[in-house]
Amino acid sequence: LKETATTGSGTAVNGSTRPLNLDFSKGKYSLIDLTHSGRIETYDAKNTTTTYSLMTNKTKYFTSQTQRAGVDAHYNADLVYDYYKNKFNRNSYDNLGAPIYSIVHYGVNYNNAFWSGEVMVYGDGDGSTFTTLSGANDVVAHELTHAVTDYTAGLIYENQSGALSESFSDVFGYFVDPGDFLIGEDIYTPGITGDGLRSLSNPEQYNQPAHMNQYRYLSNTEAGDYGGVHSNSGIPNKAFYNTVTQLGNSKSEQIYYRALTLYLTPQATFTDARAALVQSATDLYGAADAQIVASAWDQVGVY
Ligand SMILES: O=C(O)[C@H](CCc1ccccc1)CC1(C(=O)N[C@@H](Cc2c[nH]c3ccccc23)C(=O)O)CCCC1
Ligand SMILES: [Ca+2]
Ligand SMILES: [Zn+2]
């Protein structure tokens, strides 16, 4: 079955034009990116939660309104693949060139997105709380980083290890979108400018704790967000902010990647994360930078 890599373009969720890596075969274009061994394929659930099909088009210009979700899922997945390859020489989430699958238009007015363990899934939002979630590069990086975490530290998605999983996903969401310390600002509350789902610089702004003395002991159930993984991530997120404002992006991303892929283990606590990051800073940049990391965690009450 002949696949021919080609390029085209499409309209993004925000109306801008995105370059696209496409496949041309059997007289039509599809959202299959063959430009690296971690091939990227983008599918359309057409507002179901059960069936999906490859997003295709007669021409190389994916410019219809319903194609916007797929255009950004495809474009942003390529952006995140390139980030991990260029910064850390990591070849897809498993470092073995695993294919990256995305599904858009999941459900009806679905105000969320997730890594299913195999694929990335994006809702369209209800147009008030969220618009199409694949439109945010930091959200796509957040989801793909869950896949990286699953293949490396394997952080268990509950309590402190789950909050760390959340934090590392937000942190790499920042590194892919380093212009601001907000998560999801491009797709959160389309009617309101300047807000976001979470803030790394000021977690309390969106009702997250930013210090260990504010830790939320929620139940380890779906209703308790598995021990508050999306709440308590505010504490490691604040420690990250304290670190990156001192060390800068390029040192910090290497320290965080080394900790995630070399030192962290499935049951890691906040204290373990502090130790992993201090060790990574020592390995890479020496005692002075390691002390900056230690101080960043002191400031959020994690020793
Ligand atoms: O990847 C994750 O951590 C989140 C995945 C949530 C999920 C997990 C399992 C099945 C379905 C959905 C999705 C994101 C998230 O942080 N969701 C939060 C906040 C949120 C989004 N939509 C919501 C609707 C209701 C309540 C909370 C939310 C959550 O699910 O808590 C990440 C970036 C943006 C969306
Ligand atoms: Ca952002
Ligand atoms: Zn997450």
Side-chain angles (χ1 to χ4, degrees):
L1 196 63
K2 187 95 180 64
E3 289 183 316
T4 309
T6 185
T7 56
S9 63
T11 307
V13 171
N14 69 9
S16 64
T17 298
R18 306 284 196 211
L20 295 172
N21 292 317
L22 306 171
D23 167 55
F24 179 72
S25 61
K26 295 192 292 183
K28 61 185 177 184
Y29 296 85
S30 58
L31 294 185
I32 297 176
D33 178 347
L34 299 162
T35 59
H36 25 68
S37 63
R39 59 189 283 152
I40 298 172
E41 301 184 7
T42 302
Y43 292 78
D44 187 349
K46 299 180 183 171
N47 296 117
T48 72
T49 59
T50 52
T51 59
Y52 42 87
S53 50
L54 196 58
M55 194 174 273
T56 64
N57 201 49
K58 285 279 314 147
T59 74
K60 58 171 62 177
Y61 305 111
F62 288 67
T63 55
S64 78
Q65 183 64 38
T66 59
Q67 287 170 335
R68 292 187 177 198
V71 165
D72 263 347
H74 200 64
Y75 172 80
N76 285 325
D78 186 33
L79 197 89
V80 178
Y81 176 93
D82 288 344
Y83 170 80
Y84 274 103
K85 190 68 175 67
N86 297 338
K87 296 286 186 177
F88 314 114
N89 194 30
R90 187 179 190 88
N91 179 9
S92 196
Y93 49 84
D94 66 349
N95 202 19
L96 298 170
I100 295 171
Y101 300 122
S102 303
I103 298 173
V104 297
H105 295 311
Y106 175 85
V108 178
N109 293 344
Y110 184 62
N111 273 329
N112 223 329
F114 57 93
W115 166 251
S116 77
E118 269 94 31
V119 302
M120 289 187 285
V121 182
Y122 301 96
D124 292 326
D126 58 14
S128 171
T129 307
F130 288 94
T131 189
T132 307
L133 282 95
S134 60
N137 55 356
D138 55 8
V139 168
V140 174
H142 179 110
E143 299 311 342
L144 211 44
T145 299
H146 277 310
V148 173
T149 297
D150 288 353
Y151 281 84
T152 55
L155 291 164
I156 295 167
Y157 203 61
E158 66 188 28
N159 305 323
Q160 286 194 19
S161 53
L164 289 173
S165 174
E166 273 306 298
S167 179
F168 274 80
S169 276
D170 281 351
V171 163
F172 283 98
Y174 165 81
F175 285 132
V176 168
D177 176 42
D180 56 75
F181 285 107
L182 293 174
I183 297 295
E185 72 283 351
D186 294 336
I187 46 92
Y188 188 62
T189 59
I192 302 167
T193 52
D195 65 342
L197 186 57
R198 290 185 286 275
S199 165
L200 295 162
S201 56
N202 184 13
E204 291 128 312
Q205 186 174 4
Y206 300 106
N207 186 32
Q208 284 189 288
H211 193 283
M212 207 52 200
N213 59 28
Q214 302 163 334
Y215 190 92
R216 309 247 175 96
Y217 294 93
L218 301 176
S219 73
N220 182 11
T221 60
E222 186 181 4
D225 193 28
Y226 307 103
V229 301
H230 292 98
S231 304
N232 293 310
S233 58
I235 297 162
N237 281 0
K238 182 71 176 192
F240 164 72
Y241 176 73
N242 297 338
T243 302
V244 76
T245 47
Q246 293 296 310
L247 293 183
N249 290 356
S250 48
K251 279 185 171 178
S252 302
E253 65 194 346
Q254 295 299 329
I255 291 166
Y256 270 75
Y257 183 77
R258 185 177 181 83
L260 183 66
T261 57
L262 196 59
Y263 292 121
L264 285 173
T265 58
Q267 318 249 17
T269 64
F270 286 2
T271 294
D272 295 331
R274 173 201 165 114
L277 290 160
V278 167
Q279 186 59 56
S280 298
T282 305
D283 297 345
L284 294 171
Y285 307 115
D289 287 351
Q291 182 48 49
I292 287 172
V293 176
S295 160
W297 287 78
D298 288 348
Q299 292 167 58
V300 300
V302 174
Y303 302 98

